[in-house]
Amino acid sequence: MVRMSAEERRESVIRAATAEFARGGYYGTSTEAIAKRVGVSQPYLFRLFPGKKAIFLAAAERCIEDTIRTFSEAAEGLEGEEALHAMADAYTRVIAEQPERLMMQMQTYLAVAAAEQEGDHEFGEAVRAGWMRLWDTVHLPLGADIGETTTFMAYGMLINCLVAMGFPPGHRVWEGVYESARTKGRPEH
Amino acid sequence: MVRMSAEERRESVIRAATAEFARGGYYGTSTEAIAKRVGVSQPYLFRLFPGKKAIFLAAAERCIEDTIRTFSEAAEGLEGEEALHAMADAYTRVIAEQPERLMMQMQTYLAVAAAEQEGDHEFGEAVRAGWMRLWDTVHLPLGADIGETTTFMAYGMLINCLVAMGFPPGHRVWEGVYESARTKGRPEH
DNA sequence: GTAGTTAGTGATTGAGTACTAACTTACTGT
DNA sequence: ACAGTAAGTTAGTACTCAATCACTAACTAC
């Protein structure tokens, strides 16, 4: 048994929760599964967080923060086409190394409707605010071009869906995605 | 009490299940909720379908079929830019009239990973096959242009996500989407 | 009208799950 | 050494939910 400070434990709970919620979504993930992954007893989670919802929320918010940081760091000091490529490359790395981050984001989006139905309007509010922050983060380096930004986000969502469906890398559905990353933003002739 | 043939009942179960699963996903939806919406007792669902999974699968497949038909009907006899606009218009109508169809599709994509973990590989196979059929359905009218097709699908997925998050129509995140629908495919300058 | 079939219900069960309460084990400062 | 505190566990509760079983009500063919 490895003892940790509560704050450190909370961190590893967030990581474990991200992986588990990414696969099963809010309802398809038991707190026991999270606890197992952390290597801690299930009831102890409720000492670290007030409830399951709070764990989901913490994981969701962390996820958005991470993605915002990924893009803002990638685009730092660049703009226009260069920024676009840098951010696209950064996202490609996330796809390969942390697909659970993409999946968790999708789960977060879909959890909004369910939360809304249960009377929780704050959750949707928080998710939309996070989206807007993400949007603005890519908007500026892309020269504040709404069309470019929207297309970039659209490709991101397409990638998320393809990853979710489990299309293996190299499958023909990815062709158009890579192609676009190569040609997009190039001066027309 | 209104009696129906088993086949008719199955149809209304699929419709009800689509609406319920769209909001809560597979795990977040109880068979009782579906039964209530149909107006039938919960155990009776298991006479019409072998289990909850079968209901989800039926709803998911219906959903994809409907979307494929939506696009193929919209693009019938058209090609290139005209087909693009016709399909975009058709999708706009779906957003307004049957948002649950979009949400159900997203839920289907995300259910793949969960099914995979439970050892069910056929589900993912079926979902990917459906996606490919949908892809091919829009690919041909768009002049078999991979880039155009990918962009079209990407915008579709972005729309699905924005709808899921509950961004109201008129919110600034939609600007870029509409703008693209107006200008995309137009000859430059 | 009655036998056979099809549509549908009520009661129940067994497994899983979020969360609580009471207790134990390890570290820290004095 | 030992008191206090922070980390963590075991046992248990109240509840939800998919699925089964035994039964009833309505339609149909003869």
Side-chain angles (χ1 to χ4, degrees), chain A residues 1-187:
Chain A
M1 188 178 82
V2 184
R3 267 171 81 105
M4 267 182 213
S5 79
E7 210 42 62
E8 284 174 309
R9 245 341 157 201
R10 257 185 281 266
E11 278 307 304
S12 47
V13 168
I14 288 175
R15 273 194 301 275
T18 301
E20 292 294 330
F21 282 132
R23 284 197 209 298
Y26 180 75
Y27 298 104
T29 301
S30 65
T31 54
E32 192 171 353
I34 297 169
K36 275 227 174 77
R37 187 181 271 262
V38 176
V40 98
S41 72
Q42 179 261 352
Y44 187 51
L45 296 182
F46 296 87
R47 289 262 164 116
L48 300 169
F49 293 89
K52 187 184 178 183
K53 261 187 163 174
I55 300 176
F56 187 84
L57 187 66
E61 278 183 339
R62 172 64 53 89
C63 222
I64 293 209
E65 295 309 319
D66 285 351
T67 302
I68 288 174
R69 208 178 44 243
T70 297
F71 285 141
S72 73
E73 283 178 8
E76 202 169 13
L78 306 174
E79 59 178 22
E81 200 187 332
E82 284 185 333
L84 182 75
H85 279 114
M87 291 194 293
D89 282 356
Y91 207 56
T92 306
R93 242 168 289 133
V94 176
I95 299 167
E97 294 163 22
Q98 300 170 277
E100 71 273 12
R101 231 168 80 187
L102 311 190
M103 300 290 293
M104 180 66 201
Q105 289 200 53
M106 299 295 274
Q107 296 286 3
T108 304
Y109 302 154
L110 283 178
V112 170
E116 206 83 21
Q117 196 174 18
E118 283 177 4
D120 181 355
H121 301 286
E122 285 172 33
F123 182 73
E125 219 40 72
V127 172
R128 287 188 290 270
W131 175 270
M132 292 312 294
R133 287 215 320 287
L134 177 58
W135 203 92
D136 290 337
T137 302
V138 311
H139 190 222
L140 274 154
L142 293 180
D145 184 318
I146 291 182
E148 283 285 316
T149 306
T150 305
T151 302
F152 183 79
M153 298 297 273
Y155 270 81
M157 294 308 106
L158 174 63
I159 288 167
N160 290 357
C161 290
L162 296 179
V163 169
M165 280 185 269
F167 278 111
H171 191 286
R172 53 182 264 251
V173 287
W174 292 104
E175 274 177 48
V177 181
Y178 297 141
E179 186 191 326
S180 157
R182 262 182 280 116
T183 63
K184 204 72 196 183
R186 274 219 212 119

Side-chain angles (χ1 to χ4, degrees), chain B residues 2-4 6 9 41 44 47:
Chain B
V2 185
R3 267 172 80 104
M4 269 181 212
R9 243 345 156 196
S41 71
Y44 187 50
R47 289 264 162 118

Side-chain angles (χ1 to χ4, degrees), chain B residues 118-145:
Chain B
E118 283 178 4
D120 181 355
H121 301 286
E122 286 171 33
F123 182 73
E125 218 44 69
V127 172
R128 286 188 290 270
W131 175 269
M132 292 311 294
R133 288 216 318 287
L134 178 58
W135 204 91
D136 290 337
T137 303
V138 311
H139 189 220
L140 274 154
L142 293 181
D145 184 317

